[in-house]
Amino acid sequence: VATMAREPSNATNWARIGFHVSSAVGALLLLEVFLSRTGTLWATGGFAAYCWINESGRALSKRWNERLMKVRFFQAIIHPHEHHHINSATWYGTALIILALVSPPFASAAALAVLGFGDPAAGLVGRRWGRRPLTGGRTLEGTVAFALFGSLAAFAVISLWHGTAAVPLLVLVSAAAGIAGAIAEAVSVRVDDNLTVPLAAALAAALTASVL
C-alpha cells in the first residue's frame, strides 16, 4: 500500500505505514522461506484474484462497497480516494503475480524491499523535511529518501538470500532497484505506484545483473 512522498502538511498515517512494511516483510518471507516457485505462483495468483473479485463487487454493488469501506481495518489504512477507485492493495497484488510469473527471484525480492521500505521512508521524510515539490505531491527530499532506503533494503534482502555474487555487484543491483523505484514513484501520477514501483525496481535489478 503506497505512502506518497507528500509535502509536510499532510498527516502521517502510521497504520498504513505499518501495514505497508509488514506486508512487504510477509511477502518476502513467503517468497524466500516458506513457498516454492509453484507455491508462490498459487499464492500471488490467489491474492490477486481475491483483490479483483472484491473490486468487481465494489464496482457492481454500492452496498458491497459500503460494507467493505466500513470495516475498521480498511478505514485505518485506505486513502479517501480509494473509497470509489481501485485500491492500492489490488495494484500491489497485480504486481505480485506479474513478478511471480516473469521476474527472477532475486529481482522480485529487491522489488518488494524497495516498495516496502523506500515508500514509507519517502512519505516520512517528504512530510517532515520536504521543501522542493515535484509532481503529484511528491518532494525531492522524499524521492531521495526513497532511493536511499529502498537501495539499502534491497541490498539487505539480496545479501541475505541471494548473496552469492561479489559485494560491488550486489551494491549496484540494489542501487539500480532503489533508484528505479524512486523514479517510478515520482512519476506515477495517473497509475498507482504499488504497481509501477515493484515492476520498475525488479526490471532495473534484473537488467543490471544481466549486464554486469
Side-chain angles (χ1 to χ4, degrees), residues 8 40 55 59 63 69 76 98 100 113 119 123 126 140 148 164 184 187 192 206:
T40 300
E55 291 295 346
R63 179 177 296 182
M69 294 302 101
I98 294 173
D119 207 354
L140 177 60
L148 175 60
T164 57
V187 301
D192 194 285

Side-chain angles (χ1 to χ4, degrees), residues 3 33 42 56 71-72 74 80 84 94 126-127 129 145 147 153 159 172 192 196 204 209:
T3 304
V33 179
W42 279 104
S56 300
V71 176
R72 183 173 298 180
F74 293 144
H84 303 288
T94 304
R127 291 184 179 93
W129 293 287
S159 298
L172 290 174
D192 194 285
T196 59

Side-chain angles (χ1 to χ4, degrees), residues 3 10 13 131 199 212:
T3 304
N10 287 4
N13 187 335
R131 295 295 181 270
L199 296 185
L212 297 179

Side-chain angles (χ1 to χ4, degrees), residues 155 158 164-176 205 208-212:
F155 178 76
I158 296 177
T164 57
V167 172
L169 175 60
L170 298 181
V171 170
L172 290 174
V173 169
S174 302
T208 303
S210 177
V211 170
L212 297 179

Side-chain angles (χ1 to χ4, degrees), residues 1-210:
V1 183
T3 304
M4 297 173 67
R6 294 190 178 277
E7 296 186 37
S9 58
N10 287 4
T12 299
N13 187 335
W14 290 105
R16 190 177 176 93
I17 290 176
F19 180 69
H20 205 293
V21 174
S22 61
S23 63
V25 172
L28 281 166
L29 290 175
L30 289 175
L31 172 68
E32 299 290 354
V33 179
F34 296 110
L35 296 179
S36 64
R37 180 78 173 184
T38 301
T40 300
L41 286 170
W42 279 104
T44 54
F47 179 62
Y50 166 79
C51 290
W52 282 108
I53 288 171
N54 269 321
E55 291 295 346
S56 300
R58 291 176 61 205
L60 295 172
S61 171
K62 183 178 179 181
R63 179 177 296 182
W64 187 335
N65 183 55
E66 290 177 348
R67 285 182 177 178
L68 282 176
M69 294 302 101
K70 287 180 180 179
V71 176
R72 183 173 298 180
F73 173 73
F74 293 144
Q75 289 179 341
I77 64 172
I78 62 174
H79 287 313
H81 74 271
E82 291 176 294
H83 281 265
H84 303 288
H85 293 83
I86 297 173
N87 68 72
S88 295
T90 299
W91 292 119
Y92 180 58
T94 304
L96 289 179
I97 183 60
I98 294 173
L99 292 177
L101 287 169
V102 303
S103 174
F106 80 90
S108 297
L112 292 174
V114 167
L115 180 64
F117 293 90
D119 207 354
L124 291 171
V125 171
R127 291 184 179 93
R128 180 69 175 83
W129 293 287
R131 295 295 181 270
R132 299 170 179 83
L134 301 176
T135 59
R138 277 76 166 179
T139 65
L140 177 60
E141 293 81 0
T143 298
V144 171
F146 190 118
L148 175 60
F149 283 90
S151 298
L152 291 173
F155 178 76
V157 167
I158 296 177
S159 298
L160 178 62
W161 285 304
H162 303 279
T164 57
V167 172
L169 175 60
L170 298 181
V171 170
L172 290 174
V173 169
S174 302
I179 293 170
I183 294 173
E185 199 268 351
V187 301
S188 296
V189 177
R190 296 183 179 276
V191 182
D192 194 285
D193 56 5
N194 282 275
L195 176 66
T196 59
V197 166
L199 296 185
L203 179 62
L207 288 177
T208 303
S210 177

